[in-house]
Amino acid sequence: PLFGSMQPIEHRAPKASQMDEWGLGDLYVDRRGKVAVVSVTGMLVFRGGVLGWCFGCCDTWALAGAFYDLATDETIETVVVVFDTPGGDTYGIDAVVDAMRRVAARKLLVGVVVARCYSGGVWLFGQCTQRFVSRLAGIGAIGVFSVLEDSSGLYEEMGVKRILVASTELKGINIPGIGISEVQIAAEGSPVMALHRRFIEDLTLGTGQDEGTVEGWAESPNLIGSEAVDAGMAHGVSTLEGVLEQVLAA
């Protein structure tokens, strides 16, 4: 059955990670002998669960659990990560990065961008010790953003006046019908920049490039195929089939 492996953890073989109690991480892993192929496809979402997976999303919480388990799986020598993602939530990314580093410390961790790898996808791609992109694959959009929506004018047109009563000016941001102050905008920018700095730090550590180079990636347009190799984001151009042929033959 499609969801036959998703039993509570006490009914399955013991896992190294307790993060993924329903075994959702198994949905992202295909084991081929001593090689595990992990799919990072679709929008990155935090705790998307089965429903998110059914709609083509990638649950970062379950994905982290899968990597933690692979890090301690003695039957696996190489992990190939397949990327086709537009990015998504920052929530859960930290756990995935930590889990991928644990894999990379013990095994060969290879990343392959087969179609697109943007934003949060690059954050994860950068943790792979060997990185490849297909000839027409797109990669880039490094950075973090947040959207605030001020719909107070629309509510006024409808004759509705909403009044916010809050303990501080920073409470109640982004509530429909409530205006957004400059103080609130500035406050929202602080975590955005903090996350961006963490993004750059993780890419710098994962890729071995200097911080100036990585910041340059963030300021540059999206790259295609060999452009990513020239910029130092990837080690070479290859298809997924080409990478698998090499690692399976090793």
Side-chain angles (χ1 to χ4, degrees):
L2 182 60
F3 303 126
S5 66
M6 287 186 287
Q7 307 169 41
I9 195 165
E10 62 268 25
H11 298 306
R12 298 188 289 116
K15 293 280 189 176
S17 167
Q18 302 299 309
M19 298 173 64
D20 182 24
E21 63 180 354
W22 291 99
L24 296 181
D26 294 340
L27 297 172
Y28 303 106
V29 182
D30 177 22
R31 288 173 168 79
R32 307 184 186 185
K34 296 181 179 180
V35 177
V37 181
V38 180
S39 294
V40 179
T41 57
M43 182 74 71
L44 301 175
V45 298
F46 182 64
R47 288 191 174 276
V50 178
L51 186 60
W53 178 78
C54 289
F55 281 93
C57 296
C58 183
D59 185 329
T60 52
W61 191 250
L63 184 64
F67 278 120
Y68 279 127
D69 290 332
L70 288 171
T72 57
D73 188 338
E74 296 182 356
T75 68
I76 298 297
E77 296 180 355
T78 301
V79 177
V80 177
V81 190
V82 184
F83 290 90
D84 178 16
T85 174
D89 289 345
T90 56
Y91 302 115
I93 288 289
D94 204 37
V96 183
V97 167
D98 178 68
M100 292 181 74
R101 287 177 178 169
R102 295 184 187 221
V103 173
R106 298 171 173 86
K107 312 167 191 291
L108 177 61
L109 181 61
V110 184
V112 187
V113 180
V114 296
R116 56 185 173 161
C117 186
Y118 297 119
S119 194
V122 183
W123 203 329
L124 303 183
F125 180 65
Q127 308 313 308
C128 297
T129 48
Q130 293 185 13
R131 300 179 299 280
F132 298 92
V133 293
S134 63
R135 188 170 62 91
L136 299 179
I139 184 170
I142 295 170
V144 181
F145 72 91
S146 178
V147 176
L148 299 178
E149 185 175 279
D150 187 340
S151 59
S152 58
L154 175 62
Y155 273 67
E156 289 177 6
E157 289 181 4
M158 295 188 297
V160 178
K161 183 175 180 61
R162 302 196 75 188
I163 300 174
L164 173 67
V165 179
S167 57
T168 74
E169 190 174 355
L170 299 182
K171 295 292 292 184
I173 300 176
N174 235 19
I175 294 179
I178 301 296
I180 299 173
S181 69
E182 292 298 322
V183 172
Q184 292 172 330
I185 293 173
E188 186 71 7
S190 179
V192 167
M193 294 310 300
L195 286 167
H196 176 78
R197 287 192 295 271
R198 184 59 182 271
F199 196 158
I200 298 300
E201 290 171 1
D202 283 348
L203 276 183
T204 300
L205 181 61
T207 63
Q209 298 284 355
D210 62 84
E211 188 172 314
T213 297
V214 175
E215 282 284 9
W217 295 345
E219 298 296 332
S220 71
N222 296 336
L223 305 175
I224 301 295
S226 61
E227 294 176 343
V229 179
D230 295 339
M233 296 176 72
H235 293 108
V237 175
S238 178
T239 62
L240 172 60
E241 290 73 16
V243 169
L244 288 177
E245 285 176 359
Q246 293 184 34
V247 298
L248 290 171

